[in-house]
Each structure stands twice: as structure tokens, then as C-alpha cells.
Amino acid sequence: MDNIKQYVQDNKERFINELIELLKISSVSADTAYAHDVLATAEAVKNSLQNAGCHKVEICETPGYPIVYGEHIIDSNLPTVLVYGHYDVQPPDPIDLWTSPPFEPVIKPTEIHPEGAIFARGACDDKGQMYMHVKAFEYMIKNNCLPCNVKFMIEGEEEVGSSSLSWFVQHNQQKLANDVILISDTGMISNQQPSITTGLRGLSYVEVEVTGPNRDLHSGLYGGAVANPINILCQMIASLHDEDNKINIPGFYDKVEELTEQERAEMAKAPFSLDNYKKALDINDVYGEKGYVTNERNSIRPTLDVNGIWGGYTGEGAKTVIASKAYAKISMRLVPNQDWEEITELFTKHFESIAPPAVKVKVTPHHGGQGYVTPIDSIGYQAANKAYTETFGVPAIPVRSGGSIPIVALFEKELKSKTILMGFGLDSDAIHSPNEHYGVFNYLKGIETIPLFYKYFVEMSK
Amino acid sequence: MDNIKQYVQDNKERFINELIELLKISSVSADTAYAHDVLATAEAVKNSLQNAGCHKVEICETPGYPIVYGEHIIDSNLPTVLVYGHYDVQPPDPIDLWTSPPFEPVIKPTEIHPEGAIFARGACDDKGQMYMHVKAFEYMIKNNCLPCNVKFMIEGEEEVGSSSLSWFVQHNQQKLANDVILISDTGMISNQQPSITTGLRGLSYVEVEVTGPNRDLHSGLYGGAVANPINILCQMIASLHDEDNKINIPGFYDKVEELTEQERAEMAKAPFSLDNYKKALDINDVYGEKGYVTNERNSIRPTLDVNGIWGGYTGEGAKTVIASKAYAKISMRLVPNQDWEEITELFTKHFESIAPPAVKVKVTPHHGGQGYVTPIDSIGYQAANKAYTETFGVPAIPVRSGGSIPIVALFEKELKSKTILMGFGLDSDAIHSPNEHYGVFNYLKGIETIPLFYKYFVEMSK
């Protein structure tokens, strides 16, 4: 592995251009209008694995978008690493806030990325981070230093709940047998201070619909006399938090894992500047659950956020109407021990129960997933930490992330193996936002670090 | 005037076809995309007045959409009736709820209109009701029985606040001098029980914008740690009503005209079935201010309704995002003595004051207008009542309407004359809603009733 630095140096132009080609395909899984592009992306990923030298690559049909599966077995007695990633991306809207088109990648320098960052939807989440594994694999093949077996499982529905993946994993446990699962779909503290995500939040995502009168009404003739579904929806949503910003759903906190004072003290050691945080978001103040600091609110505590709301007249000018219906998309981030299906049920029951008789309410669960915690004393974690330490010069700090990769808990349940979250992104990469980008430094550093994980994982597994 | 019934009978096909042609032009004033059609409608109205025999017709330019002005002076010693109406219409959306295209008028029978109703945006509000006056005028000209002078003022911005009309009235007081103003832009109780609107509610319409972080954020990485502008907007809107559904804005009720028990008892005499009301709207219960019944809540009491709300991801599927901004359009219906500009200021001050420091709030006033009350002992009211009594066989009942025609108060202030609201629409006409329609019976009955108003008004004025 000693020539990996050199190999990345020699091929970096090609590595960047290959990723840019992949980013040009708008694989938005949430919107069926993009279906053709999602499938085209699966094809592109398949080809990239074949070109990298993977023995067996196939596109596996599922009830939804296909899963690209690759397999390179060199010796059944050696350990097997299963690499997971996703080739679908978030919707790009609001498009008008992008400084360059989301599917026309450009490299621009930023304060944090003086050597340039690739701007495009999916640059970091997850095409860029997924493709690092393809290129790291290419290196190990071309240089005859692949120390173990590898399997790739790249899905196309991560941004919409991975329902087909769950089906796929449950039906292919033999095929997917492995010793450790490796995923790069998270971030690290900074380009100077690597970190490994040891915890993820679970997720419950629902859509609610409040119906008042059977048709839109004139707000003058009916205003004040009938329930306005938008006003009612606002009242119902407002009531979901109490004055301490705790979530107001009976039973919601019953199973929440409470950290010890010592664990919280450990967390507090991670470098964090509230001033910079507020400046970066241009907010005068942070806002959240009483009794917890920002880094706890966004990681070890559950949340409830409205992700979208709509109803009535939203066009130009004024329309004096009382809408018949109002809608909202609501998601809850969950912490270890909270079961997402149970929480979804608690939410549904509660939300229906607080609706006044003057309206009808419908709650539709979208998707969800369980939270997850990785033990830092596992071989996988140790190997990853050693790899980071070698390429970054400092050991990685274990951190809890507020994000969710619902299938991680599923992998442990179905495949009985631990997942290592080797993320190379940064909070400032604006994933899920306009102007998502991924640092060229991070992309190349990832390609450089991954082979070292293989090396140390195999050594430590002996 | 004795042959008016016959004249309507002989010409009803033509009357209906002429209105249908007018309804085909999509004069939506709220959306600049329709600007060309709005102007085309003004032309059509001008031509219709000329064809009816009006001496002098002109299209008067304004800062916004033009006003069609017509004048027919037969003797300066005789009284002058100023007819007001509007040729613009509400936006048609949600389009998909229309059973036939909003600008392709069709005549269909309904339970209330067995002889058929004209379905189209603007059929009742206000093209249909405005055009009755053009045809009634045509009758009086063709039959040499016009008993006084007439002026027509038909505007194109009523649905967006009539700002140009205010300007026009203030700059043309001489030209618009009159003895009574006649408007058909309201409704009546039923086709068997005519009524005259004696009170209108005022209006204050604002748009609010709540800004949290400077960009959309990943709800996993930031959820729980920053203020979500949608959640905050919902809390702010919810707080605008208290548990008795009274409006929670300091000073809001200070000038509200409180009716006497006797006045309320009078109002209660108007025929009303709560069961039919609920059935017609398919609601299990009504909803409103504690201590008042439905017919009071929608007429003599002020209201606050959200007319539109939007923010975050509203597309297909799920997007785990915290939006940077959330918006709402909010309107307040006001009662006599509440000043709309003062209320707009009270709202703005209050709304800004309840915003938590973690967000920024912007309130933009759209438009507004004062409430109005017509004395039932005026000659105008008496003449209208006599006309209804003759054509419907029963006297009209005076009622307070919840709607707003902001310019009525302006007319009194600038032109010093009273307005008579001779409405022929029904609550069930679905104005401002999908499938707006206007009964053929109501349209023809209006044309038949209006000339009688002229006759009695001139007689009583002697």
C-alpha cells in the first residue's frame, strides 16, 4: 500500500473527471420524473466497477430501483468487506438558490476548500463518497495488493427510505455474507481533524393531511364560521412541542437512551464554536430542547421537524380563500432504543386525537429506520482509526451524528455484522441543500485512506 | 317598465350567450400572466355598453388595469345612478377540482338551479352580476323608459384590492357625481327569499415571511439544534387565536361594534339550517368564536384566516430538509369601526413581537378596506326593496354579509353617496372556489329587477 499516495497523485485528474460524469446524471429517486436518469446511473456504476476490475458485477432487479452488486472473491478463507453506498440523490430544489446548475458539476474554490470543491447535487451525498471506494478498489487491483474479498452493494433508494434494499438484504443473506460493512455516507469534524461516526439517529417520516370543508370557500362569506384547515394544522403542529421544546407526544421519550454525565462530558470535548455555527447559518440564536447544548440536540436527542407545508393560495398576489385541505411532511429523528414503527404509531394516534371534530385528519407514514451505535473497541473501528491516523496524521475522534442511515440497523439485524462509517464529508458541504459540494481534498484523501482500512482490518482479523 | 318580463323572455338566449362570451376571457387580475386577457375583457365590456346604447363610453387608463367608464345623461335635473362592477376574476386554481374548464362556460342543472346554472370563473363574481346592469340598461334604452341619468364604472382590480380605483375615484369626483351607487356583487338568502346586504366586513390582507438559517439544511445534521421556520411559523399562527377562538392581537377588538341583544335577535330571524350548512360543506361541526352563532361569526364578528401557507419540500416523496424560509398569506375580516390600516399595523407590530430571536420575520401588507353599513331607511334601500318585492313576490330581508367590497366605504368618503348592494347570487354559487356558477334564473331575475329600482328610486326622489 506504500504507493497509494503516488497512485492518487498520478490519476487524480481522471478520478475527478469520472466522478463529474457520474454527477451529470440526475438520479433523483423521490420524483418519478427522473426515473430514467436513476436507471442510467445504475448502469454507469456497474460499468465503473467492471472497469475497476471487479470479477462479477450485476444489476439486481428489485420491487423499486435496482441495486448494483459487485463481487471480487480472491480466497474464501480471507475476510470479506461489504461496501455499501447509494447512487440516488436528493431533489435539487429550490433550484433558484443554486449558483450553478445542480447537474452541471463545476469545481470552485471555497474558504474551507482552497484547492477547490466539486459543486453538484450528490457530489458528497453519496456519489462522491461512494465512488472513492470504486477508485480505492481499482488501486488495490491494479497494484495487486487487495488483501481480502470485497462485495459492493450500491442502491438507488437511500433518499426515499431504502425499502427495496431491505427486501434485497432479507432475500440475499448468503450472497451478502461478510465480516464488516464499510460505508462512506457521513462526515468528519474538519479536514485537519478526522472523526468516525459511532452513532446515528433513527427516522420516522410521515405526511399529514387536514381536511375542512369539501371545497375551497370564500373567506369573507365563511371566515370565522368554519374550521380553516391551515389554521388548524398550524395549531396541531404547534402543540407537538411544549414550552421547553420537548416533543409533546405521549410515550415519545419512554425508550430514549439517556447518556451519563461522563458520556456527555466526553462529547463536549469535540471542538465546537457556537459563534461560528451561528455565523455560518446567519442566525442570531440557536433553538432547541431545554437542558441540552447544540451538539447534544443534533445527535443524542430526538427531534420533530416539519420538512414541508402547503395549502391554500400560494401564487402571486392575494386570494381570499379558505382552503379545503392543508398538508405537511413531518419527520422525527430518533435515538437508540426508540423503535421507528412504534414512534410512527404513537405520532399517528396522537395527531388524530388532537384534531378538532370540525376537521378530518389523515396520517400517511412515508418511511423510517432505527438508530444505531458502533462499539469503538471493535476491529473495524480500530482499523478505520488507524487508517485515518496514517493519512491525516492525527487519530479520529468518535462522534454521534444526527443523521440517519436507516439500513445500518437493518444490516446488523439481517447480516449480523457491524458497520464502520468512514465519512469524509464536512457539515459545510450543504448536502440536501442548494450548492451541495465535496472537497477535492476530501475526495482524494478518501481514496487514499480506504485501502489502509482493508490492510489493517485484515491484519487485525488474523 | 311593464314589458320588462316579456323583453327578458324574448332575449334570454342572447343575454346568456353574450355573458358566456365574456366569461371565456380569463381576466385573472392576481396573476400578471393573464394581463393580456384582463385588458381584452375591458375592451369587451366597453363594446357591450356601446352596443346597449350608452352615449359616452371610454377606457380610462390608471396606474394599474383600466377602468371602463360609461355615461348616459338624459337631463341634468334628474337623479344620477352610478353603477359599479368589476370585470376581473379570482384565480381559478385549484384547476383540477373543476368539473369543466373554468374559462369554457357550460350550462348545467343543479339541485338549486333545476333550470340550469352557468359554470365558469366569474360567472357570479362579478361578470354575471355586472352584466345584468348592462342588459337592464339596454332594455330601458330600447324601450325609452330610462327615468334618470346613468354612469357606469367597471374596474379590473377588485380581486386584488382596487388600488387603481381608489386613485381614479379620488381624481374624478366631479365626473363620478351621483345620487346613489348601485352594485350587484353580493348574494341573497335564496331564490325564494331575496335579501339586501346592509353591512360588509372590512379587510386587512398581509403576507408574512419567517427566515431561519440562511440556507436549507439537512434535518438530521441540524434538526433539533436550529429554529425550523415552518415550525415557528405554525406556532406564531396558532398563537393568534386563544382557546375561545378570539383573536389574540392586543387592541384588535377595541373598536369592534357590539350589536345589541335586539339587533342580534333580528338577525336570528333569517332562515338558517345548521344541519344543511354542515351537510353542504361535509363537515361534522362548525368552528368559531365562543359566544356567537354561525350567522354572527361570518358577518358581525372580525376574523383571522390563513389563506395560503408554504415552505420546505412540497413535492412527491420525502425530503429531509429544514427550510430556510416559510411563508403565509393571512387576511383579517373587519367589522364597522375597525380601521383596516390601524389593524394592519397592530397585526404587524404583534407578529414581529412574538417571533423568537432565532428567526427573522417580515410582514408585507397586501391591501385592505373598511367595513360598511347601509341605513335601511334610505330612499335607495326602499327602492331596491320595492323592486325585489315586485319581482320575487316577497320583501327582501336586510342582512349583514361577511364579505368585503372595500371600495364601498371609499365611495361614501369620496363621493358622499350611499351604496345599495342589490345582489342576486347565492352562497352555493362557489365564488372564489372551483366550479363557480350563476343560476340562469338569478341572472334573468336580476335583469328584470334592476329597471324597477331605477323607476322607484326616481319616483321616491321627487
Side-chain angles (χ1 to χ4, degrees):
Chain A
M1 304 270 174
D2 40 9
N3 63 334
I4 172 68
K5 264 194 163 53
Q6 190 55 50
Y7 187 83
V8 171
Q9 194 52 41
D10 299 344
N11 297 278
K12 70 181 193 195
E13 289 310 319
R14 177 171 59 85
F15 289 171
I16 291 167
N17 293 333
E18 286 177 19
L19 174 56
I20 283 175
E21 287 310 307
L22 194 63
L23 292 168
K24 287 179 180 171
I25 322 176
S26 48
S27 50
V28 178
S29 51
D31 187 342
T32 50
Y34 292 91
H36 175 271
D37 295 333
V38 179
L39 296 173
T41 311
E43 273 300 328
V45 171
K46 169 173 177 259
N47 299 337
S48 69
L49 280 169
Q50 280 167 332
N51 299 339
C54 188
H55 281 154
K56 176 181 158 200
V57 188
E58 58 189 14
I59 287 190
C60 306
E61 294 309 323
T62 74
Y65 286 121
I67 285 162
V68 182
Y69 177 77
E71 194 175 277
H72 197 89
I73 307 298
I74 56 174
D75 179 345
S76 57
N77 299 318
L78 287 170
T80 299
V81 174
L82 173 63
V83 175
Y84 163 85
H86 63 93
Y87 62 81
D88 63 321
V89 300
Q90 279 277 314
D93 47 288
I95 298 246
D96 54 337
L97 294 187
W98 284 76
T99 54
S100 58
F103 299 109
E104 296 172 25
V106 288
I107 298 179
K108 289 180 281 189
T110 73
E111 207 174 308
I112 294 175
H113 301 291
E115 74 298 325
I118 305 167
F119 282 75
R121 169 57 83 225
C124 174
D125 177 16
D126 181 49
K127 284 175 175 170
Q129 296 214 69
M130 174 271 287
Y131 205 67
M132 298 183 310
H133 290 270
V134 180
K135 295 296 101 179
F137 174 75
E138 172 196 304
Y139 159 75
M140 294 185 282
I141 294 291
K142 295 272 193 305
N143 294 268
N144 294 307
C145 57
L146 178 66
C148 62
N149 307 311
V150 189
K151 293 174 179 175
F152 291 92
M153 176 169 61
I154 316 300
E155 73 153 314
E157 296 180 341
E158 198 273 343
E159 302 295 1
V160 291
S162 302
S163 51
S164 296
L165 183 79
S166 315
W167 172 89
F168 183 74
V169 169
Q170 279 153 12
H171 291 73
N172 295 279
Q173 287 161 330
Q174 203 50 48
K175 177 184 198 143
L176 299 170
N178 67 82
D179 299 282
V180 70
I181 296 167
L182 191 57
I183 304 180
S184 296
D185 195 19
T186 50
M188 55 183 188
I189 292 169
S190 76
N191 286 353
Q192 295 70 46
Q193 178 55 68
S195 55
I196 299 172
T197 303
T198 55
L200 291 166
R201 288 197 283 192
L203 178 72
S204 168
Y205 199 116
V206 302
E207 187 161 317
V208 300
E209 173 189 297
V210 174
T211 304
N214 54 359
R215 58 185 170 91
D216 288 4
L217 299 175
H218 185 294
S219 69
L221 302 182
Y222 291 89
V226 300
N228 177 327
I230 302 177
N231 288 76
I232 298 293
L233 176 60
C234 289
Q235 288 167 21
M236 293 173 74
I237 287 171
S239 76
L240 296 175
H241 287 91
D242 68 15
E243 59 284 352
D244 293 337
N245 276 308
K246 289 196 183 297
I247 294 155
N248 222 352
I249 298 173
F252 186 85
Y253 288 98
D254 288 359
K255 297 184 179 171
V256 167
E257 170 209 54
E258 295 289 346
L259 271 65
T260 63
E261 281 315 310
Q262 191 210 337
E263 287 174 296
R264 292 177 67 180
E266 274 304 313
M267 280 188 69
K269 289 181 183 159
F272 177 75
S273 159
L274 189 58
D275 283 346
N276 295 345
Y277 187 84
K278 290 194 284 188
K279 201 174 300 144
L281 301 175
D282 185 25
I283 51 177
N284 298 325
D285 202 357
V286 291
Y287 188 90
E289 185 182 1
K290 194 175 173 184
Y292 296 89
V293 298
T294 297
N295 278 343
E296 294 175 324
R297 288 167 170 173
N298 64 18
S299 63
I300 61 169
R301 302 298 298 169
T303 68
L304 184 149
D305 274 298
V306 180
N307 301 111
I309 190 165
W310 68 103
Y313 183 66
T314 59
E316 194 187 337
K319 186 166 190 272
T320 50
V321 66
I322 293 176
S324 171
K325 289 173 181 291
Y327 306 83
K329 294 175 191 275
I330 299 174
S331 68
M332 289 158 282
R333 296 286 170 169
L334 311 175
V335 294
N337 304 339
Q338 283 184 299
D339 177 79
W340 79 269
E341 278 163 322
E342 185 183 344
I343 291 294
T344 304
E345 204 179 313
L346 286 176
F347 175 91
T348 306
K349 278 213 185 79
H350 176 69
F351 202 75
E352 288 167 350
S353 75
I354 60 177
V359 300
K360 304 181 190 70
V361 165
K362 196 172 102 198
V363 178
T364 310
H366 260 305
H367 65 275
Q370 312 294 23
Y372 179 75
V373 177
T374 310
I376 66 175
D377 56 5
S378 66
I379 292 176
Y381 183 88
Q382 296 297 333
N385 189 20
K386 219 164 156 194
Y388 276 107
T389 309
E390 190 166 325
T391 49
F392 284 82
V394 289
I397 295 179
V399 298
R400 291 283 199 96
S401 162
S404 307
I405 308 180
I407 40 71
V408 170
L410 174 90
F411 291 161
E412 180 159 37
K413 177 162 168 286
E414 301 291 339
L415 305 177
K416 311 280 178 285
S417 49
K418 286 288 174 192
T419 293
I420 304 304
L421 297 164
M422 280 184 83
F424 293 89
L426 299 178
D427 274 4
S428 54
D429 290 344
I431 65 172
H432 291 215
S433 301
N435 305 312
E436 173 178 358
H437 56 280
Y438 190 38
V440 169
F441 167 88
N442 305 66
Y443 177 54
L444 300 176
K445 206 69 169 176
I447 299 172
E448 188 185 321
T449 307
I450 291 162
L452 296 171
F453 168 82
Y454 282 76
K455 176 183 169 195
Y456 296 125
F457 181 75
V458 175
E459 282 178 10
M460 295 179 180
S461 300
K462 280 178 183 146
Chain B
M1 302 270 173
D2 41 8
N3 64 334
I4 173 68
K5 264 193 163 54
Q6 191 55 49
Y7 188 81
V8 171
Q9 194 52 40
D10 298 344
N11 296 277
K12 71 181 191 195
E13 290 310 319
R14 178 171 59 85
F15 289 172
I16 291 167
N17 293 334
E18 286 178 17
L19 174 56
I20 283 176
E21 287 310 307
L22 194 61
L23 291 168
K24 286 179 180 172
I25 321 175
S26 48
S27 50
V28 178
S29 51
D31 188 342
T32 50
Y34 293 91
H36 176 271
D37 295 333
V38 179
L39 296 173
T41 311
E43 274 299 328
V45 171
K46 170 174 176 258
N47 298 336
S48 68
L49 280 168
Q50 280 167 333
N51 299 339
C54 188
H55 281 153
K56 175 180 159 203
V57 187
E58 58 189 14
I59 287 189
C60 306
E61 292 312 321
T62 74
Y65 286 120
I67 286 162
V68 181
Y69 177 76
E71 195 174 277
H72 197 89
I73 307 299
I74 56 174
D75 178 346
S76 56
N77 299 319
L78 287 170
T80 299
V81 174
L82 172 64
V83 174
Y84 163 85
H86 63 94
Y87 61 82
D88 63 322
V89 301
Q90 278 278 316
D93 47 286
I95 298 248
D96 54 338
L97 294 185
W98 284 75
T99 54
S100 59
F103 299 108
E104 296 172 24
V106 289
I107 298 180
K108 289 180 281 191
T110 74
E111 208 176 306
I112 295 176
H113 301 291
E115 74 297 325
I118 303 167
F119 281 74
R121 169 58 83 228
C124 173
D125 177 17
D126 181 46
K127 284 175 175 170
Q129 296 213 69
M130 175 271 290
Y131 205 67
M132 297 184 308
H133 290 269
V134 180
K135 294 297 100 180
F137 174 76
E138 171 196 305
Y139 159 75
M140 293 185 283
I141 293 292
K142 296 270 192 306
N143 295 269
N144 295 307
C145 57
L146 178 66
C148 61
N149 306 311
V150 189
K151 293 174 179 176
F152 290 92
M153 176 170 61
I154 315 300
E155 72 153 316
E157 296 181 342
E158 197 271 345
E159 301 295 1
V160 290
S162 303
S163 50
S164 296
L165 183 78
S166 314
W167 172 88
F168 183 75
V169 170
Q170 279 152 13
H171 290 72
N172 294 280
Q173 286 161 329
Q174 202 49 48
K175 176 184 199 141
L176 299 172
N178 67 81
D179 298 282
V180 70
I181 297 167
L182 191 57
I183 304 179
S184 295
D185 195 18
T186 51
M188 56 183 188
I189 292 169
S190 75
N191 286 356
Q192 296 69 44
Q193 179 55 68
S195 55
I196 299 172
T197 302
T198 54
L200 290 166
R201 287 197 284 193
L203 178 72
S204 167
Y205 199 115
V206 301
E207 186 160 321
V208 300
E209 173 190 299
V210 175
T211 304
N214 54 0
R215 58 185 169 90
D216 288 5
L217 300 175
H218 184 295
S219 69
L221 302 182
Y222 291 89
V226 299
N228 178 326
I230 302 177
N231 290 74
I232 298 293
L233 176 60
C234 289
Q235 288 167 23
M236 293 172 74
I237 288 171
S239 76
L240 296 176
H241 287 90
D242 67 15
E243 59 284 353
D244 292 337
N245 275 310
K246 289 195 183 299
I247 294 155
N248 222 352
I249 298 173
F252 186 85
Y253 289 98
D254 288 359
K255 299 184 177 172
V256 167
E257 169 209 57
E258 296 289 347
L259 271 64
T260 63
E261 281 316 311
Q262 190 210 336
E263 288 174 297
R264 293 176 68 180
E266 275 303 314
M267 281 187 67
K269 288 181 182 161
F272 176 75
S273 157
L274 189 58
D275 283 347
N276 294 347
Y277 187 83
K278 289 194 284 187
K279 202 175 297 144
L281 300 175
D282 186 26
I283 51 178
N284 298 324
D285 201 357
V286 291
Y287 188 89
E289 184 181 2
K290 194 175 172 186
Y292 296 89
V293 298
T294 296
N295 278 344
E296 294 174 324
R297 289 167 170 174
N298 63 18
S299 63
I300 62 168
R301 299 301 296 170
T303 68
L304 184 149
D305 273 299
V306 181
N307 300 111
I309 190 166
W310 67 104
Y313 183 67
T314 59
E316 192 186 337
K319 186 166 189 272
T320 50
V321 67
I322 292 175
S324 170
K325 290 174 181 290
Y327 307 82
K329 293 176 192 275
I330 299 175
S331 68
M332 289 157 283
R333 296 285 170 171
L334 311 176
V335 295
N337 305 340
Q338 283 185 298
D339 176 79
W340 79 270
E341 279 163 323
E342 183 183 346
I343 291 293
T344 303
E345 204 179 314
L346 287 176
F347 175 92
T348 305
K349 278 214 184 80
H350 176 68
F351 203 75
E352 287 167 350
S353 74
I354 60 176
V359 300
K360 304 180 188 71
V361 165
K362 196 172 99 195
V363 179
T364 310
H366 261 306
H367 64 275
Q370 312 294 22
Y372 178 76
V373 177
T374 310
I376 64 176
D377 54 9
S378 65
I379 292 176
Y381 182 87
Q382 297 297 334
N385 189 21
K386 220 164 158 196
Y388 277 107
T389 309
E390 188 165 327
T391 49
F392 284 82
V394 289
I397 294 179
V399 298
R400 290 283 200 99
S401 162
S404 306
I405 309 180
I407 40 72
V408 170
L410 175 89
F411 291 161
E412 180 159 36
K413 176 161 169 286
E414 302 291 340
L415 304 178
K416 312 278 178 289
S417 50
K418 286 285 175 193
T419 293
I420 303 305
L421 298 165
M422 280 184 82
F424 294 88
L426 299 178
D427 274 5
S428 55
D429 289 344
I431 67 171
H432 292 216
S433 302
N435 306 311
E436 173 178 358
H437 57 279
Y438 190 39
V440 168
F441 168 87
N442 306 66
Y443 177 55
L444 300 177
K445 207 68 168 175
I447 300 172
E448 187 184 322
T449 308
I450 290 163
L452 296 171
F453 168 83
Y454 283 76
K455 175 182 171 197
Y456 297 125
F457 181 74
V458 174
E459 283 179 8
M460 296 180 180
S461 300
K462 278 175 185 150

Short mmCIF file of all heavy atoms in Angstrom, two decimals, chain B residues 58-75:
data_model
loop_
_atom_site.label_atom_id
_atom_site.label_comp_id
_atom_site.label_asym_id
_atom_site.label_seq_id
_atom_site.Cartn_x
_atom_site.Cartn_y
_atom_site.Cartn_z
N GLU B 58 -65.77 55.10 -22.38
CA GLU B 58 -64.32 55.26 -22.54
C GLU B 58 -63.58 54.27 -21.65
O GLU B 58 -64.10 53.82 -20.63
CB GLU B 58 -63.90 56.69 -22.22
CG GLU B 58 -64.29 57.12 -20.82
CD GLU B 58 -64.07 58.62 -20.58
OE1 GLU B 58 -63.87 59.35 -21.56
OE2 GLU B 58 -64.09 59.04 -19.42
N ILE B 59 -62.37 53.94 -22.09
CA ILE B 59 -61.50 53.10 -21.26
C ILE B 59 -60.50 54.04 -20.61
O ILE B 59 -59.71 54.69 -21.29
CB ILE B 59 -60.81 52.02 -22.09
CG1 ILE B 59 -61.82 50.93 -22.47
CG2 ILE B 59 -59.64 51.42 -21.31
CD1 ILE B 59 -61.25 49.71 -23.09
N CYS B 60 -60.59 54.19 -19.30
CA CYS B 60 -59.74 55.15 -18.59
C CYS B 60 -58.49 54.46 -18.06
O CYS B 60 -58.59 53.52 -17.26
CB CYS B 60 -60.52 55.77 -17.43
SG CYS B 60 -62.07 56.49 -17.93
N GLU B 61 -57.33 54.95 -18.50
CA GLU B 61 -56.07 54.39 -18.02
C GLU B 61 -55.90 54.72 -16.53
O GLU B 61 -56.38 55.74 -16.05
CB GLU B 61 -54.90 54.97 -18.83
CG GLU B 61 -54.88 54.50 -20.27
CD GLU B 61 -55.05 52.99 -20.40
OE1 GLU B 61 -54.48 52.24 -19.57
OE2 GLU B 61 -55.80 52.54 -21.31
N THR B 62 -55.24 53.81 -15.82
CA THR B 62 -54.94 54.03 -14.39
C THR B 62 -53.52 53.53 -14.14
O THR B 62 -52.90 52.98 -15.06
CB THR B 62 -55.89 53.18 -13.51
OG1 THR B 62 -55.46 51.81 -13.61
CG2 THR B 62 -57.34 53.29 -13.97
N PRO B 63 -53.01 53.69 -12.94
CA PRO B 63 -51.68 53.11 -12.64
C PRO B 63 -51.67 51.60 -12.83
O PRO B 63 -50.64 50.99 -13.03
CB PRO B 63 -51.45 53.48 -11.17
CG PRO B 63 -52.32 54.67 -10.94
CD PRO B 63 -53.53 54.44 -11.79
N GLY B 64 -52.85 50.96 -12.77
CA GLY B 64 -52.92 49.51 -12.95
C GLY B 64 -53.80 49.15 -14.14
O GLY B 64 -53.64 49.71 -15.22
N TYR B 65 -54.76 48.26 -13.94
CA TYR B 65 -55.66 47.89 -15.03
C TYR B 65 -56.68 49.00 -15.25
O TYR B 65 -57.09 49.68 -14.30
CB TYR B 65 -56.35 46.56 -14.73
CG TYR B 65 -55.44 45.37 -14.89
CD1 TYR B 65 -55.18 44.52 -13.82
CD2 TYR B 65 -54.82 45.11 -16.11
CE1 TYR B 65 -54.31 43.43 -13.97
CE2 TYR B 65 -53.96 44.03 -16.26
CZ TYR B 65 -53.71 43.19 -15.19
OH TYR B 65 -52.87 42.12 -15.33
N PRO B 66 -57.12 49.22 -16.52
CA PRO B 66 -58.00 50.33 -16.82
C PRO B 66 -59.40 50.15 -16.24
O PRO B 66 -59.79 49.05 -15.87
CB PRO B 66 -58.05 50.32 -18.35
CG PRO B 66 -57.75 48.93 -18.75
CD PRO B 66 -56.78 48.41 -17.71
N ILE B 67 -60.11 51.29 -16.16
CA ILE B 67 -61.49 51.29 -15.69
C ILE B 67 -62.38 51.64 -16.89
O ILE B 67 -62.10 52.59 -17.63
CB ILE B 67 -61.68 52.32 -14.56
CG1 ILE B 67 -61.05 51.77 -13.29
CG2 ILE B 67 -63.16 52.64 -14.35
CD1 ILE B 67 -60.78 52.80 -12.23
N VAL B 68 -63.41 50.84 -17.10
CA VAL B 68 -64.35 51.13 -18.18
C VAL B 68 -65.40 52.09 -17.61
O VAL B 68 -66.08 51.79 -16.62
CB VAL B 68 -65.04 49.85 -18.68
CG1 VAL B 68 -66.00 50.18 -19.82
CG2 VAL B 68 -64.02 48.82 -19.12
N TYR B 69 -65.48 53.29 -18.21
CA TYR B 69 -66.43 54.29 -17.74
C TYR B 69 -67.47 54.57 -18.82
O TYR B 69 -67.12 54.79 -19.99
CB TYR B 69 -65.70 55.58 -17.37
CG TYR B 69 -66.64 56.68 -16.94
CD1 TYR B 69 -67.21 56.66 -15.67
CD2 TYR B 69 -66.99 57.71 -17.80
CE1 TYR B 69 -68.09 57.65 -15.26
CE2 TYR B 69 -67.87 58.72 -17.41
CZ TYR B 69 -68.42 58.67 -16.14
OH TYR B 69 -69.31 59.65 -15.75
N GLY B 70 -68.73 54.54 -18.42
CA GLY B 70 -69.80 54.85 -19.36
C GLY B 70 -70.72 55.91 -18.77
O GLY B 70 -70.88 55.99 -17.55
N GLU B 71 -71.29 56.73 -19.63
CA GLU B 71 -72.12 57.83 -19.15
C GLU B 71 -73.29 58.03 -20.09
O GLU B 71 -73.12 58.07 -21.31
CB GLU B 71 -71.26 59.09 -19.12
CG GLU B 71 -71.83 60.24 -18.31
CD GLU B 71 -70.81 61.38 -18.26
OE1 GLU B 71 -69.90 61.34 -17.43
OE2 GLU B 71 -70.91 62.28 -19.11
N HIS B 72 -74.50 58.10 -19.53
CA HIS B 72 -75.69 58.35 -20.35
C HIS B 72 -76.54 59.39 -19.63
O HIS B 72 -77.32 59.07 -18.74
CB HIS B 72 -76.47 57.06 -20.58
CG HIS B 72 -77.45 57.15 -21.72
ND1 HIS B 72 -77.10 56.84 -23.02
CD2 HIS B 72 -78.75 57.55 -21.76
CE1 HIS B 72 -78.14 57.01 -23.80
NE2 HIS B 72 -79.16 57.45 -23.07
N ILE B 73 -76.36 60.67 -20.00
CA ILE B 73 -77.06 61.77 -19.32
C ILE B 73 -78.26 62.19 -20.15
O ILE B 73 -78.10 62.57 -21.31
CB ILE B 73 -76.10 62.98 -19.15
CG1 ILE B 73 -74.80 62.56 -18.48
CG2 ILE B 73 -76.81 64.09 -18.38
CD1 ILE B 73 -74.96 61.98 -17.08
N ILE B 74 -79.45 62.08 -19.58
CA ILE B 74 -80.64 62.50 -20.34
C ILE B 74 -81.16 63.86 -19.86
O ILE B 74 -81.77 64.60 -20.60
CB ILE B 74 -81.77 61.45 -20.26
CG1 ILE B 74 -82.14 61.13 -18.81
CG2 ILE B 74 -81.35 60.17 -20.97
CD1 ILE B 74 -83.34 60.21 -18.69
N ASP B 75 -80.93 64.23 -18.61
CA ASP B 75 -81.41 65.52 -18.09
C ASP B 75 -80.70 65.81 -16.78
O ASP B 75 -80.86 65.08 -15.79
CB ASP B 75 -82.92 65.44 -17.86
CG ASP B 75 -83.47 66.75 -17.28
OD1 ASP B 75 -82.68 67.60 -16.82
OD2 ASP B 75 -84.70 66.92 -17.29
#
